[in-house]
Amino acid sequence: MKHGKKYNAAAAKYDLSKKYDVASACKMVQDMKFAKFDETVEAHVSLRLEKNATVRDTLVFPNQFRGEKKVLVFCKGEKVKEALDAGAAFAGEEYVDKVKDGWLDFDIAVATPDMMKDVGRLGMVLGRKGLMPNPKTGTVTPNVAQAVAELKKGRTEFRADKAGTVHIAVGKCSMDAEKIAENVQTLLSEISRKKPAGAAAGFVQTVSLSSSMGPGVWVDYKEGE
């Protein structure tokens, strides 16, 4: 794959065939940034998974870097006030019809269990956008206040793709490198915690970090760290 002059100049600063500890890798990614905008720092974690298996969960990074997201809660009765008081941008059962008609002015959707029969019919709309509430990610719950509060704090989902790799943003290049490193360590701890029972050693195969436009840096990571 061919890269531009700026990319190649950035990549020439370090020996990118080697692995580095998390803190060093974060600083290197920042140093190799060359775009004029504030690039996102991304982590890529390759996992050893059985066929058709996946890893999926949510986490709250200790150091936030995203703008506040608009949360929609599909709920009814007293849960509507509970959701709005907790900071939801929208709440109510009438939003099922609004979404069905094409309205999607929100970032995250939450639903109470009693609403899933109706919300499930929105699969073609919400599923394509990755917005369908799911018990595994804590977005189908009777405790809407807690869910909204955590989501507004930055709770985000991670999941392995079909190739068994988790791709997720962990910070911005403008952040302190130490804060990015804390986020990376939190991610790796959460992924390791989701290791399937009976999985062999080497569940986490490789870890790399990069900015949106810059070269990747291999991370020297061992399970249990």
Side-chain angles (χ1 to χ4, degrees):
M1 182 177 179
K2 291 185 177 180
H3 295 288
K5 292 182 179 179
K6 291 183 179 180
Y7 180 102
N8 291 330
K13 292 182 177 182
Y14 298 99
D15 183 351
L16 298 181
S17 66
K18 294 183 178 180
K19 293 184 178 181
Y20 300 87
D21 62 72
V22 172
S24 297
C26 290
K27 291 177 181 177
M28 290 166 63
V29 167
Q30 288 179 311
D31 189 39
M32 291 188 292
K33 169 192 176 300
F34 59 83
K36 293 182 179 179
F37 62 89
D38 187 11
E39 294 183 52
T40 298
V41 179
E42 303 165 354
H44 312 278
V45 186
S46 176
L47 307 176
R48 190 188 305 277
L49 293 170
E50 297 294 329
K51 187 176 181 180
N52 298 323
T54 190
V55 164
R56 180 180 185 180
D57 208 338
T58 61
L59 60 80
V60 177
F61 287 117
N63 303 294
Q64 295 308 311
F65 54 93
R66 299 183 187 276
E68 191 169 287
K69 295 184 177 182
K70 289 187 283 188
V71 181
L72 162 64
V73 181
F74 295 106
C75 57
K76 61 180 73 173
E78 62 184 19
K79 292 294 181 180
V80 174
K81 184 177 186 303
E82 180 182 330
L84 293 174
D85 287 349
F90 314 99
E93 55 186 311
E94 68 272 19
Y95 287 96
V96 173
D97 288 333
K98 289 195 67 172
V99 171
K100 186 177 180 181
D101 291 338
W103 178 81
L104 290 168
D105 188 23
F106 58 94
D107 302 302
I108 306 171
V110 175
T112 52
D114 62 329
M115 286 294 298
M116 282 308 294
K117 181 178 179 181
D118 296 319
V119 175
R121 296 171 183 158
L122 303 174
M124 290 295 289
V125 180
L126 297 179
R128 283 199 301 265
K129 298 289 186 178
L131 294 170
M132 178 61 77
N134 189 306
K136 292 181 179 179
T137 59
T139 48
V140 177
T141 174
N143 192 345
V144 295
Q146 180 180 339
V148 171
E150 290 182 354
L151 289 166
K152 287 178 71 67
K153 287 179 182 176
R155 190 175 81 188
T156 188
E157 179 182 356
F158 65 87
R159 66 184 303 174
D161 62 16
K162 291 182 179 179
T165 302
V166 174
H167 304 279
I168 187 171
V170 292
K172 289 285 188 178
C173 283
S174 58
M175 294 170 60
D176 290 340
E178 293 81 4
K179 291 185 176 181
I180 301 173
E182 286 179 11
N183 285 354
V184 174
Q185 294 287 12
T186 297
L187 171 66
L188 294 175
S189 295
E190 289 298 310
I191 290 177
S192 294
R193 189 175 61 82
K194 296 297 292 183
K195 180 179 179 179
F203 171 60
V204 176
Q205 296 188 104
T206 62
V207 179
S208 65
L209 301 176
S210 68
S211 63
S212 304
M213 306 293 289
V217 179
W218 294 110
V219 174
D220 186 11
Y221 176 75
K222 298 179 180 61
E223 288 179 36
E225 290 185 343

